[in-house]
Amino acid sequence: MWWMMNENGGHYCSKKTDDDICASVCGGQDSTRMSRIRCILRGLDLKVLIMILVLVPTCVYVAYAHGQKITYFLRPIWEKPPKLFHEIPHYYHDNVSMKNLCKLHGWGIREYPRRVYDAVLFSNELDMLTIRWMELYPYITQFVILESNSTFTGLPKPLVFANNRDQFKFVEPRLTYGSIGGKFKRGDNPFFEEAHQRLALDQLIQLAGITDDDLLIMSDVDEIPSRHTMNLLRWCDDIPKILHLRLKNYLYSFEFLVDNNSWRASVHRYESGVTRYAHYRQSDDVLADAGWHCSFCFRAINDFIFKMKAYSHFDRVRFRYFLNPKRVQKVICKGSDLFDMLPEEYTFKEIIGKMGPIPHSYSAVHLPSYLLENADKYKYLLPDSLSGKLAVYLNRLLKSAYLLNAALTITIHPFQVPVISSSRGEFWLRTEYSSIQVHFRVSTTGCLVIAYRLFELQSKKKFARKMFIFLSGKKNAYSLTNHLE
């Protein structure tokens, strides 16, 4: 029997000193390294090899392309949620006296209001800064602003505020402005540069004349406390020394309401030698419904791309195509995430609930008053609440026209003449600016794209008189103003 064979009687060897099975089977100690590898592979099944060749590259690609999503989705397993805030209910109505409002919050009323200082680091958010300062203007003692000629990521940038200072003459008597040179060290941790600038802002605040028990607002430009919130805090006594503000969290415009959980903005009762400007959690107290946070709320696509490259979380730009203007435009109009990330939440329920594009909001109630008073100028920030009659009319008109299997795309951008391009030529629609404003649905960044695949209609005679637009390959113009319902 084979188990009774001696050492020389067969291929099987039971000697404990001979552990090289492949050497025994495939040629002994003289086998080359390649022959050993072939020997090992000879023992593997072909299906297993194919599976390995397919599975390994696939796993590598998935980890490379979607590793961040995987880690974010599994976040509830490896990271516990932070300590809950102590939520302070927020009471307000125009017809309620300040004394009663303070009483409702459990605070007393002061004989005179505190002074309020608003301090921000500025990059390039001119529109948001205007809306912020106009909202807070009645109650701010001094506006403090610091900008750098470098981004947090070390990119050079112009002094945008200094170059546009004439737009802010309304705050000039109460303005303390400073600029700081950047380090221009690409590859350094951007949070170091951010901390460096916040330290410089501390010094600028002191130069502005702040004293003990004055209120200091610490927040980014796009984190805007509401006017009545600041009036409440400056009149009420015994408010917390450090109070975070719970803000409604918007993305791209006030059309996309993410949640009500923005909390990094804070108000401090200033203490010399103690208070330091920071943008992280510094207290357990948070005041509910205290304003708005409109993140990545820009007018132009270039501004979106600039911020993606400039702010502290540049590492989220994992691929170069993330910065492609067409992709950025498409993502914004859908309300999706610019960085293709999952929500930063701590429970599977919240992560799954927030996955996908942000639902559109059609409410413009309780937004900053200056924004609504100047809706024509800032319509790209407002919800898509216009009537859409022009879009409906174009849809009906084009579908009723006699067009032969032509693929068209209608694209309308704000402040531009609408252009229609087709596979058979290009022509223009001439419309009045007021008509676009009143009758056209303008989405978040002012983009509305309607794609049509039009085929020959059967009822030619019925719509012959409505043939206002021709695909002749030439530029034609027709005013739709008189045809709007």
Side-chain angles (χ1 to χ4, degrees):
M1 297 295 290
W2 61 266
W3 57 82
M4 299 180 65
M5 291 181 181
N6 59 26
E7 297 180 9
N8 299 320
H11 291 294
Y12 179 78
C13 179
S14 62
K15 286 184 66 177
K16 299 301 182 183
T17 56
D18 190 357
D19 293 329
D20 196 344
I21 298 175
C22 279
S24 175
V25 175
C26 302
Q29 298 294 331
D30 295 332
S31 299
T32 64
R33 181 174 298 179
M34 291 303 296
S35 65
R36 289 171 178 268
I37 295 175
R38 284 196 298 268
C39 171
I40 295 172
L41 294 178
R42 190 179 302 169
L44 296 177
D45 188 87
L46 180 61
K47 293 180 180 180
V48 176
L49 287 175
I50 295 175
M51 184 178 296
I52 293 174
L53 292 176
V54 173
L55 192 59
V56 171
T58 302
C59 292
V60 172
Y61 171 77
V62 170
Y64 175 71
H66 303 289
Q68 190 179 59
K69 286 186 176 180
I70 295 172
T71 57
Y72 268 69
F73 185 79
L74 298 178
R75 188 177 190 175
I77 297 177
W78 53 266
E79 186 172 354
K80 294 181 179 180
K83 180 183 177 182
L84 294 177
F85 278 100
H86 169 231
E87 298 278 349
I88 299 177
H90 191 169
Y91 301 92
Y92 174 74
H93 193 279
D94 289 338
N95 297 328
V96 179
S97 68
M98 185 58 65
K99 181 179 180 180
N100 284 332
L101 288 176
C102 291
K103 183 179 179 181
L104 286 168
H105 290 84
W107 304 325
I109 184 75
R110 293 170 57 88
E111 294 182 3
Y112 56 90
R114 293 183 181 87
R115 300 194 305 169
V116 183
Y117 286 72
D118 180 38
V120 293
L121 289 176
F122 182 77
S123 178
N124 66 331
E125 312 98 325
L126 287 171
D127 284 353
M128 293 306 297
L129 183 65
T130 303
I131 294 170
R132 176 194 183 94
W133 281 359
M134 291 300 295
E135 174 70 15
L136 297 175
Y137 181 80
Y139 307 127
I140 299 300
T141 304
Q142 198 74 11
F143 296 93
V144 184
I145 182 170
L146 177 72
E147 70 173 331
S148 173
N149 61 352
S150 168
T151 67
F152 293 157
T153 54
L155 298 174
K157 62 175 284 291
L159 297 177
V160 178
F161 181 85
N163 296 334
N164 295 272
R165 191 162 178 168
D166 288 345
Q167 298 182 23
F168 300 93
K169 289 183 178 179
F170 66 97
V171 300
E172 194 67 39
R174 292 186 263 165
L175 178 63
T176 300
Y177 169 76
S179 62
I180 183 174
K183 296 181 179 179
F184 299 105
K185 292 184 179 180
R186 299 288 299 275
D188 279 3
N189 189 328
F191 289 99
F192 292 159
E193 178 64 23
E194 182 178 351
H196 171 67
Q197 294 186 23
R198 295 192 188 279
L199 182 62
L201 185 55
D202 264 332
Q203 300 174 4
L204 191 63
I205 292 169
Q206 295 175 21
L207 292 175
I210 195 168
T211 58
D212 286 355
D213 207 42
D214 290 341
L215 294 184
L216 174 61
I217 303 173
M218 297 185 187
S219 69
D220 288 346
V221 172
D222 55 12
E223 297 169 336
I224 307 175
S226 62
R227 181 180 298 178
H228 65 81
T229 295
M230 294 315 304
N231 194 34
L232 175 76
L233 295 178
R234 75 191 191 112
W235 271 106
C236 294
D237 211 355
D238 302 321
I239 66 174
K241 289 186 176 181
I242 302 176
L243 180 62
H244 283 278
L245 304 180
R246 181 79 72 187
L247 310 178
K248 291 183 177 179
N249 197 17
Y250 295 90
L251 188 63
Y252 310 139
S253 80
F254 292 100
E255 180 176 357
F256 293 109
L257 176 60
V258 180
D259 53 37
N260 295 301
N261 295 332
S262 178
W263 53 264
R264 292 185 180 274
S266 58
V267 177
H268 297 241
R269 291 166 56 187
Y270 189 81
E271 293 184 66
S272 300
V274 177
T275 304
R276 292 290 181 268
Y277 196 96
H279 197 240
Y280 50 78
R281 181 165 177 171
Q282 304 175 70
S283 168
D284 292 334
D285 296 318
V286 63
L287 181 64
D289 199 7
W292 315 269
H293 179 196
C294 197
S295 183
F296 278 88
C297 292
F298 297 107
R299 184 185 298 271
I301 296 298
N302 288 339
D303 292 330
F304 286 88
I305 296 173
F306 174 80
K307 180 167 182 177
M308 292 173 72
K309 296 187 296 184
Y311 87 139
S312 300
H313 296 285
F314 173 70
D315 59 303
R316 296 177 178 178
V317 184
R318 304 191 307 279
F319 306 104
R320 186 174 296 274
Y321 78 88
F322 278 14
L323 303 175
N324 182 284
K326 291 184 178 179
R327 176 194 174 271
V328 172
Q329 178 77 82
K330 182 178 179 180
V331 169
I332 293 168
C333 290
K334 288 174 61 180
S336 299
D337 191 272
L338 279 172
F339 304 99
D340 194 26
M341 293 173 57
L342 292 182
E344 297 182 74
E345 300 295 345
Y346 295 91
T347 66
F348 289 114
K349 180 180 179 181
E350 292 176 330
I351 292 174
I352 295 173
K354 290 185 178 181
M355 290 175 64
I358 305 167
H360 291 257
S361 169
Y362 297 97
S363 172
V365 179
H366 301 308
L367 293 182
S369 58
Y370 181 78
L371 173 63
L372 298 179
E373 290 170 354
N374 296 271
D376 292 348
K377 183 178 181 180
Y378 300 110
K379 66 179 182 178
Y380 75 97
L381 289 173
L382 292 172
D384 187 7
S385 57
L386 301 180
S387 65
K389 290 185 177 180
L390 179 58
V392 174
Y393 180 77
L394 284 175
N395 188 17
R396 186 169 67 248
L397 178 63
L398 290 175
K399 285 186 177 180
S400 65
Y402 173 54
L403 303 173
L404 295 175
N405 198 22
L408 294 91
T409 301
I410 304 175
T411 309
I412 296 195
H413 297 281
F415 317 117
Q416 297 179 10
V417 178
V419 178
I420 298 182
S421 59
S422 78
S423 57
R424 300 181 57 185
E426 179 179 287
F427 57 95
W428 300 71
L429 288 177
R430 183 177 69 247
T431 59
E432 300 294 333
Y433 174 79
S434 59
S435 299
I436 298 176
Q437 179 186 1
V438 175
H439 298 285
F440 197 76
R441 292 187 65 189
V442 182
S443 64
T444 308
T445 57
C447 61
L448 174 59
V449 179
I450 312 171
Y452 293 92
R453 184 71 180 176
L454 301 178
F455 298 92
E456 181 178 357
L457 299 178
Q458 300 296 327
S459 305
K460 301 177 184 178
K461 294 182 180 180
K462 181 177 180 181
F463 302 107
R465 292 188 299 273
K466 295 185 179 180
M467 258 287 259
F468 303 122
I469 305 175
F470 302 91
L471 292 176
S472 60
K474 300 178 180 179
K475 292 182 179 179
N476 302 296
Y478 186 83
S479 176
L480 296 175
T481 304
N482 297 327
H483 297 274
L484 294 172
E485 299 178 353

PDB file of all heavy atoms in Angstrom, residues 287-301:
ATOM      1  N   LEU A 287     -28.778  77.918  20.173  1.00  0.00           N
ATOM      2  CA  LEU A 287     -30.075  78.579  20.038  1.00  0.00           C
ATOM      3  C   LEU A 287     -30.731  78.143  18.740  1.00  0.00           C
ATOM      4  O   LEU A 287     -30.136  78.261  17.656  1.00  0.00           O
ATOM      5  CB  LEU A 287     -29.892  80.100  20.054  1.00  0.00           C
ATOM      6  CG  LEU A 287     -31.163  80.944  19.935  1.00  0.00           C
ATOM      7  CD1 LEU A 287     -32.076  80.724  21.150  1.00  0.00           C
ATOM      8  CD2 LEU A 287     -30.813  82.421  19.792  1.00  0.00           C
ATOM      9  N   ALA A 288     -31.935  77.649  18.810  1.00  0.00           N
ATOM     10  CA  ALA A 288     -32.616  77.099  17.642  1.00  0.00           C
ATOM     11  C   ALA A 288     -33.007  78.188  16.648  1.00  0.00           C
ATOM     12  O   ALA A 288     -33.250  79.341  17.019  1.00  0.00           O
ATOM     13  CB  ALA A 288     -33.861  76.321  18.084  1.00  0.00           C
ATOM     14  N   ASP A 289     -33.053  77.813  15.366  1.00  0.00           N
ATOM     15  CA  ASP A 289     -33.605  78.640  14.289  1.00  0.00           C
ATOM     16  C   ASP A 289     -33.110  80.088  14.366  1.00  0.00           C
ATOM     17  O   ASP A 289     -33.886  81.025  14.480  1.00  0.00           O
ATOM     18  CB  ASP A 289     -35.133  78.614  14.343  1.00  0.00           C
ATOM     19  CG  ASP A 289     -35.757  79.060  13.022  1.00  0.00           C
ATOM     20  OD1 ASP A 289     -35.015  79.265  12.047  1.00  0.00           O
ATOM     21  OD2 ASP A 289     -36.996  79.207  12.993  1.00  0.00           O
ATOM     22  N   ALA A 290     -31.785  80.242  14.266  1.00  0.00           N
ATOM     23  CA  ALA A 290     -31.177  81.553  14.509  1.00  0.00           C
ATOM     24  C   ALA A 290     -30.635  82.219  13.258  1.00  0.00           C
ATOM     25  O   ALA A 290     -30.002  83.269  13.349  1.00  0.00           O
ATOM     26  CB  ALA A 290     -30.054  81.418  15.534  1.00  0.00           C
ATOM     27  N   GLY A 291     -30.866  81.619  12.070  1.00  0.00           N
ATOM     28  CA  GLY A 291     -30.369  82.243  10.856  1.00  0.00           C
ATOM     29  C   GLY A 291     -30.244  81.248   9.726  1.00  0.00           C
ATOM     30  O   GLY A 291     -30.951  80.236   9.680  1.00  0.00           O
ATOM     31  N   TRP A 292     -29.293  81.519   8.807  1.00  0.00           N
ATOM     32  CA  TRP A 292     -29.166  80.742   7.576  1.00  0.00           C
ATOM     33  C   TRP A 292     -27.701  80.468   7.262  1.00  0.00           C
ATOM     34  O   TRP A 292     -26.837  81.322   7.463  1.00  0.00           O
ATOM     35  CB  TRP A 292     -29.779  81.506   6.400  1.00  0.00           C
ATOM     36  CG  TRP A 292     -31.104  82.114   6.701  1.00  0.00           C
ATOM     37  CD1 TRP A 292     -32.342  81.557   6.530  1.00  0.00           C
ATOM     38  CD2 TRP A 292     -31.344  83.428   7.241  1.00  0.00           C
ATOM     39  NE1 TRP A 292     -33.317  82.422   6.928  1.00  0.00           N
ATOM     40  CE2 TRP A 292     -32.744  83.586   7.367  1.00  0.00           C
ATOM     41  CE3 TRP A 292     -30.522  84.481   7.631  1.00  0.00           C
ATOM     42  CZ2 TRP A 292     -33.325  84.751   7.863  1.00  0.00           C
ATOM     43  CZ3 TRP A 292     -31.085  85.641   8.136  1.00  0.00           C
ATOM     44  CH2 TRP A 292     -32.482  85.767   8.238  1.00  0.00           C
ATOM     45  N   HIS A 293     -27.449  79.287   6.770  1.00  0.00           N
ATOM     46  CA  HIS A 293     -26.124  78.939   6.260  1.00  0.00           C
ATOM     47  C   HIS A 293     -26.298  78.508   4.809  1.00  0.00           C
ATOM     48  O   HIS A 293     -26.882  77.462   4.535  1.00  0.00           O
ATOM     49  CB  HIS A 293     -25.511  77.800   7.085  1.00  0.00           C
ATOM     50  CG  HIS A 293     -24.159  77.375   6.598  1.00  0.00           C
ATOM     51  ND1 HIS A 293     -23.572  76.185   6.978  1.00  0.00           N
ATOM     52  CD2 HIS A 293     -23.271  77.988   5.764  1.00  0.00           C
ATOM     53  CE1 HIS A 293     -22.398  76.084   6.402  1.00  0.00           C
ATOM     54  NE2 HIS A 293     -22.187  77.164   5.653  1.00  0.00           N
ATOM     55  N   CYS A 294     -25.810  79.328   3.887  1.00  0.00           N
ATOM     56  CA  CYS A 294     -25.950  79.034   2.458  1.00  0.00           C
ATOM     57  C   CYS A 294     -24.566  78.705   1.909  1.00  0.00           C
ATOM     58  O   CYS A 294     -23.792  79.600   1.534  1.00  0.00           O
ATOM     59  CB  CYS A 294     -26.560  80.225   1.724  1.00  0.00           C
ATOM     60  SG  CYS A 294     -27.211  79.820   0.080  1.00  0.00           S
ATOM     61  N   SER A 295     -24.234  77.431   1.864  1.00  0.00           N
ATOM     62  CA  SER A 295     -22.898  76.985   1.471  1.00  0.00           C
ATOM     63  C   SER A 295     -22.804  76.832  -0.048  1.00  0.00           C
ATOM     64  O   SER A 295     -23.731  76.345  -0.693  1.00  0.00           O
ATOM     65  CB  SER A 295     -22.591  75.644   2.147  1.00  0.00           C
ATOM     66  OG  SER A 295     -21.292  75.217   1.839  1.00  0.00           O
ATOM     67  N   PHE A 296     -21.669  77.248  -0.609  1.00  0.00           N
ATOM     68  CA  PHE A 296     -21.452  77.192  -2.057  1.00  0.00           C
ATOM     69  C   PHE A 296     -22.568  77.931  -2.804  1.00  0.00           C
ATOM     70  O   PHE A 296     -23.090  77.436  -3.802  1.00  0.00           O
ATOM     71  CB  PHE A 296     -21.360  75.750  -2.534  1.00  0.00           C
ATOM     72  CG  PHE A 296     -20.004  75.133  -2.349  1.00  0.00           C
ATOM     73  CD1 PHE A 296     -19.677  74.513  -1.166  1.00  0.00           C
ATOM     74  CD2 PHE A 296     -19.044  75.182  -3.348  1.00  0.00           C
ATOM     75  CE1 PHE A 296     -18.424  73.949  -0.963  1.00  0.00           C
ATOM     76  CE2 PHE A 296     -17.789  74.626  -3.165  1.00  0.00           C
ATOM     77  CZ  PHE A 296     -17.471  74.001  -1.968  1.00  0.00           C
ATOM     78  N   CYS A 297     -22.925  79.091  -2.317  1.00  0.00           N
ATOM     79  CA  CYS A 297     -23.973  79.882  -2.961  1.00  0.00           C
ATOM     80  C   CYS A 297     -23.322  80.993  -3.782  1.00  0.00           C
ATOM     81  O   CYS A 297     -23.065  82.095  -3.276  1.00  0.00           O
ATOM     82  CB  CYS A 297     -24.924  80.465  -1.913  1.00  0.00           C
ATOM     83  SG  CYS A 297     -25.906  79.193  -1.088  1.00  0.00           S
ATOM     84  N   PHE A 298     -23.037  80.681  -5.045  1.00  0.00           N
ATOM     85  CA  PHE A 298     -22.339  81.603  -5.924  1.00  0.00           C
ATOM     86  C   PHE A 298     -23.153  81.876  -7.179  1.00  0.00           C
ATOM     87  O   PHE A 298     -24.027  81.091  -7.568  1.00  0.00           O
ATOM     88  CB  PHE A 298     -20.973  81.037  -6.327  1.00  0.00           C
ATOM     89  CG  PHE A 298     -20.026  80.854  -5.176  1.00  0.00           C
ATOM     90  CD1 PHE A 298     -19.740  79.588  -4.695  1.00  0.00           C
ATOM     91  CD2 PHE A 298     -19.413  81.934  -4.583  1.00  0.00           C
ATOM     92  CE1 PHE A 298     -18.858  79.404  -3.644  1.00  0.00           C
ATOM     93  CE2 PHE A 298     -18.532  81.774  -3.524  1.00  0.00           C
ATOM     94  CZ  PHE A 298     -18.262  80.508  -3.061  1.00  0.00           C
ATOM     95  N   ARG A 299     -22.812  82.969  -7.835  1.00  0.00           N
ATOM     96  CA  ARG A 299     -23.481  83.353  -9.075  1.00  0.00           C
ATOM     97  C   ARG A 299     -22.879  82.647 -10.288  1.00  0.00           C
ATOM     98  O   ARG A 299     -23.595  82.271 -11.218  1.00  0.00           O
ATOM     99  CB  ARG A 299     -23.386  84.869  -9.263  1.00  0.00           C
ATOM    100  CG  ARG A 299     -24.139  85.399 -10.470  1.00  0.00           C
ATOM    101  CD  ARG A 299     -23.886  86.887 -10.644  1.00  0.00           C
ATOM    102  NE  ARG A 299     -24.355  87.647  -9.497  1.00  0.00           N
ATOM    103  CZ  ARG A 299     -25.587  88.125  -9.377  1.00  0.00           C
ATOM    104  NH1 ARG A 299     -26.480  87.882 -10.326  1.00  0.00           N
ATOM    105  NH2 ARG A 299     -25.924  88.827  -8.318  1.00  0.00           N
ATOM    106  N   ALA A 300     -21.562  82.482 -10.307  1.00  0.00           N
ATOM    107  CA  ALA A 300     -20.871  81.964 -11.494  1.00  0.00           C
ATOM    108  C   ALA A 300     -20.232  80.610 -11.204  1.00  0.00           C
ATOM    109  O   ALA A 300     -19.789  80.335 -10.085  1.00  0.00           O
ATOM    110  CB  ALA A 300     -19.800  82.957 -11.949  1.00  0.00           C
ATOM    111  N   ILE A 301     -20.159  79.779 -12.238  1.00  0.00           N
ATOM    112  CA  ILE A 301     -19.569  78.456 -12.100  1.00  0.00           C
ATOM    113  C   ILE A 301     -18.102  78.550 -11.697  1.00  0.00           C
ATOM    114  O   ILE A 301     -17.606  77.738 -10.911  1.00  0.00           O
ATOM    115  CB  ILE A 301     -19.713  77.667 -13.417  1.00  0.00           C
ATOM    116  CG1 ILE A 301     -21.197  77.431 -13.727  1.00  0.00           C
ATOM    117  CG2 ILE A 301     -18.983  76.336 -13.340  1.00  0.00           C
ATOM    118  CD1 ILE A 301     -21.911  76.617 -12.678  1.00  0.00           C
TER     119      ILE A 301
END
